[in-house]
């Protein structure tokens, strides 16, 4: 399983409606191409993990994400292979500044109910993202 983590800066602060649009578009695309992951957004900063087939993830990153005008300063943090998906049930897990409002959305997951344990130790960037998920409210 291939994964890619990147960071970027929003060209403007995004509203909740903007973030919901990003989430809906991402979920639709990712379901089509069997990509899972998580998108974190706070105060104009994005951190995203994408996982799936290497070609599908790379194509998404190069052709869509890098050309998305809603963000800039896109930095590829790390890529690699792992034995299993870190977020297998999330076509796009999502965290927004006002998590309380997002609890009403379909697909909300209580972080305390997520099993993020694996038989092997995941790479450090995945561990960082998993720790963030375990300590914040998300939707999937």
């Amino acid at each position: 399983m291939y994964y890619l983590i990147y960071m970027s800066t929003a060209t403007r602060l995004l509203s909740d409606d903007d973030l919901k649009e990003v989430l809906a578009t991402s979920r639709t695309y990712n379901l089509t191409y069997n990509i899972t992951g998580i998108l974190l957004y706070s105060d104009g900063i994005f951190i995203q993990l994408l996982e799936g087939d290497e070609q599908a993830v790379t194509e998404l990153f190069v052709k869509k994400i890098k050309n998305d005008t809603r963000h800039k300063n896109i930095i590829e943090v790390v890529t690699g292979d792992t034995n299993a998906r870190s977020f297998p049930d999330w076509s796009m897990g999502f965290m927004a500044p006002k998590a309380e409002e997002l609890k009403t959305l379909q697909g909300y997951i209580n972080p305390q109910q997520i099993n993020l344990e694996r038989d092997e130790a995941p790479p450090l960037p995945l561990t960082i993202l998993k720790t963030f998920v375990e300590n914040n409210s998300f939707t999937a």
Side-chain angles (χ1 to χ4, degrees):
M1 184 63 45
Y2 181 77
Y3 68 91
L4 180 148
I5 298 173
Y6 76 89
M7 296 178 64
S8 65
T9 306
T11 54
R12 64 177 176 78
L13 291 179
L14 300 179
S15 69
D16 288 348
D17 288 339
D18 294 330
L19 293 169
K20 289 174 186 176
E21 180 183 328
V22 169
L23 176 61
T25 302
S26 297
R27 284 181 171 169
T28 300
Y29 184 92
N30 292 355
L31 281 170
T32 301
Y33 293 95
N34 197 26
I35 295 172
T36 56
I38 186 166
L39 174 64
L40 310 175
Y41 174 82
S42 182
D43 296 326
I45 302 296
F46 290 102
I47 302 174
Q48 185 168 31
L49 162 74
L50 301 167
E51 54 192 6
D53 175 75
E54 183 173 355
Q55 182 177 347
V57 170
T58 300
E59 188 169 307
L60 169 60
F61 184 66
V62 171
K63 292 184 177 179
K64 294 184 84 52
I65 292 171
K66 283 190 166 186
N67 292 315
D68 190 328
T69 59
R70 293 174 288 199
H71 64 158
K72 61 184 179 180
N73 305 325
I74 300 166
I75 300 168
E76 187 176 305
V77 177
V78 66
T79 62
D81 292 303
T82 186
N83 291 334
R85 292 179 189 265
S86 295
F87 302 97
D89 300 322
W90 294 14
S91 59
M92 185 46 57
F94 180 73
M95 190 268 182
K98 297 178 184 173
E100 289 300 315
E101 293 175 10
L102 295 174
K103 288 181 180 180
T104 61
L105 293 176
Q106 180 180 4
Y108 174 76
I109 293 176
N110 181 335
Q112 286 73 36
Q113 296 173 336
I114 301 171
N115 180 6
L116 296 175
E117 298 299 318
R118 295 279 188 257
D119 292 337
E120 62 184 43
L124 181 59
L126 294 178
T127 302
I128 292 168
L129 287 172
K130 287 178 183 182
T131 301
F132 193 94
V133 169
E134 290 170 339
N135 291 291
N136 291 279
S137 297
F138 290 89
T139 64

